[in-house]
Amino acid sequence: MLDFRRLLYFCTIVEQGQISRAAKSLHISQPTLSQSLKELEDELGLTLIHREGGKWQVTERGQAFYTEAQRILTQVDDLAQNIRNPFARNAGFFGEVRVGCSGFCLSFLRAVLPRVEQEYPGIRIRLLVTDNMALENKVQSHGLDLAILHLPLMYGNYVSVPLPEQYFVAVWSPLLDAPEEDPVSLRTLAAFPLMLSRRWSNSGTFRPFIIAMQEENLRPRIILDTPAPYWMIDTLPALPAVAILHHTELPNQARSLAVRRINLPKLIFRPAIIWRKDGYLTPQSGKIIDLLCEEACVSRPR
């Protein structure tokens, strides 16, 4: 009879991509984990992972077994949580949803959190905020249930739901006279001290904005770039500068400031929700996706 320990060990091997790395994650020895994998394959009468020298590859049946094993382990984990969950009698969806999000896409998740708390109090979200590449790698390794990021994607094995497009805006300090021009041109912006958001991976507003400026032979004065766009807005009341960021990054306090759309039609960003086609999507993950789609007024593929 299959036991949960072997299922957990096998899923960890697949997710870590290496037996030695999986053994370290599980805090057991590599020979013990290798023996557990052999015993599981002997019991099933199947080869789950081809192993030859230092190379290995999950077989087609191994991938199918992983999906089912992941589903079973998730249900067992949810069962324990449901018993302890004080809301168990009040909702039909329980457990953790692992969500990855680009910093520029946090507004989509923020919009649904009140509904999650009100309608599905048994759902708990674990959020990872990082760049596109890291998010895709996490989804590929089954470390995330779903992610909200920008297209295009590196891999093709996803279900993808496009979300409303995002664009750049400029936010003026109250210490400066904002132009009437809307949308505002790059030439107008080049006359002001500028702050831009930039992720440490060099993604974000900074690089495409600078390239667009260079294409028009403009040399903007950049006084700050940061991965914390909300902090830029907080500095504007005391700093005579203009903050450049995605329109969905605008916090509530920016409503009292002068905001202009930037005339950059070729720099429109296409966000999307993604999850693996071949992975097990838990009911609670599906519900988060449904809420994201409803708030964005888009349809989820069935």
Side-chain angles (χ1 to χ4, degrees):
M1 178 182 294
L2 292 174
D3 63 52
F4 294 122
R5 177 179 54 83
R6 285 181 184 165
L7 294 182
L8 174 62
Y9 285 2
F10 174 70
C11 287
T12 304
I13 293 172
V14 174
E15 291 163 4
Q16 293 293 325
Q18 195 178 71
I19 291 180
S20 59
R21 198 155 51 220
K24 185 177 181 180
S25 172
L26 292 165
H27 304 290
I28 61 175
S29 69
Q30 183 172 337
T32 299
L33 187 55
S34 296
Q35 181 62 29
S36 174
L37 175 59
K38 182 179 183 305
E39 291 172 354
L40 178 61
E41 290 180 323
D42 290 344
E43 186 173 355
L44 294 172
L46 299 170
T47 299
L48 300 176
I49 298 178
H50 283 306
R51 302 180 291 286
E52 185 175 351
K55 300 179 180 179
W56 67 275
Q57 177 66 44
V58 181
T59 65
E60 183 176 351
R61 289 189 174 184
Q63 185 60 56
F65 184 78
Y66 168 80
T67 300
E68 286 302 306
Q70 187 187 44
R71 178 182 62 80
I72 292 170
L73 291 172
T74 299
Q75 289 178 338
V76 171
D77 183 58
D78 288 349
L79 175 62
Q81 293 187 45
N82 294 348
I83 293 174
R84 296 190 300 266
N85 196 319
F87 303 104
R89 296 187 182 90
N90 301 328
F93 297 88
F94 312 96
E96 180 179 273
V97 180
R98 301 166 302 169
V99 180
C101 196
S102 160
F104 297 127
C105 296
L106 283 170
S107 59
F108 295 109
L109 183 60
R110 184 171 62 241
V112 304
L113 286 179
R115 289 189 61 186
V116 175
E117 171 59 23
Q118 181 178 6
E119 300 175 29
Y120 305 101
I123 293 179
R124 183 179 70 257
I125 294 176
R126 175 176 290 184
L127 176 63
L128 171 67
V129 181
T130 185
D131 58 62
N132 261 37
M133 183 179 297
L135 290 174
E136 281 206 68
N137 288 335
K138 277 289 187 181
V139 173
Q140 287 296 314
S141 66
H142 302 277
L144 290 172
D145 299 306
L146 61 113
I148 312 169
L149 39 60
H150 283 146
L151 302 175
L153 304 170
M154 293 187 296
Y155 303 99
N157 58 334
Y158 302 118
V159 180
S160 176
V161 181
L163 294 170
E165 293 178 337
Q166 297 174 305
Y167 51 85
F168 283 143
V169 294
V171 185
W172 263 261
S173 165
L175 302 176
L176 295 172
D177 292 328
E180 295 298 325
E181 180 185 2
D182 193 5
V184 66
S185 68
L186 294 181
R187 186 165 299 278
T188 297
L189 287 173
F192 294 92
L194 301 177
M195 299 187 290
L196 290 89
S197 61
R198 173 162 63 169
R199 303 300 182 248
W200 290 118
S201 61
N202 207 33
S203 63
T205 306
F206 189 91
R207 183 171 175 79
F209 183 82
I210 293 300
I211 291 175
M213 282 280 192
Q214 291 172 343
E215 288 175 347
E216 295 198 16
N217 296 316
L218 298 173
R219 294 185 178 182
R221 182 184 167 212
I222 310 298
I223 63 172
L224 173 77
D225 68 82
T226 173
Y230 299 108
W231 183 81
M232 293 193 301
I233 300 300
D234 289 340
T235 67
L236 288 179
L239 179 67
V242 177
I244 309 297
L245 63 164
H246 284 211
H247 80 282
T248 53
E249 291 183 302
L250 283 173
N252 289 332
Q253 61 265 36
R255 299 181 187 278
S256 61
L257 303 173
V259 179
R260 304 284 187 269
R261 182 166 178 166
I262 300 176
N263 189 13
L264 275 177
K266 66 180 180 179
L267 287 180
I268 300 295
F269 295 87
R270 297 178 296 134
I273 313 166
I274 65 166
W275 62 96
R276 285 190 59 145
K277 292 179 181 178
D278 57 355
Y280 170 64
L281 188 68
T282 65
Q284 58 267 28
S285 298
K287 189 51 61 178
I288 295 299
I289 292 170
D290 287 341
L291 292 178
L292 287 166
C293 291
E294 289 174 18
E295 288 294 321
C297 298
V298 297
S299 299
R300 171 185 169 184
R302 300 292 179 181

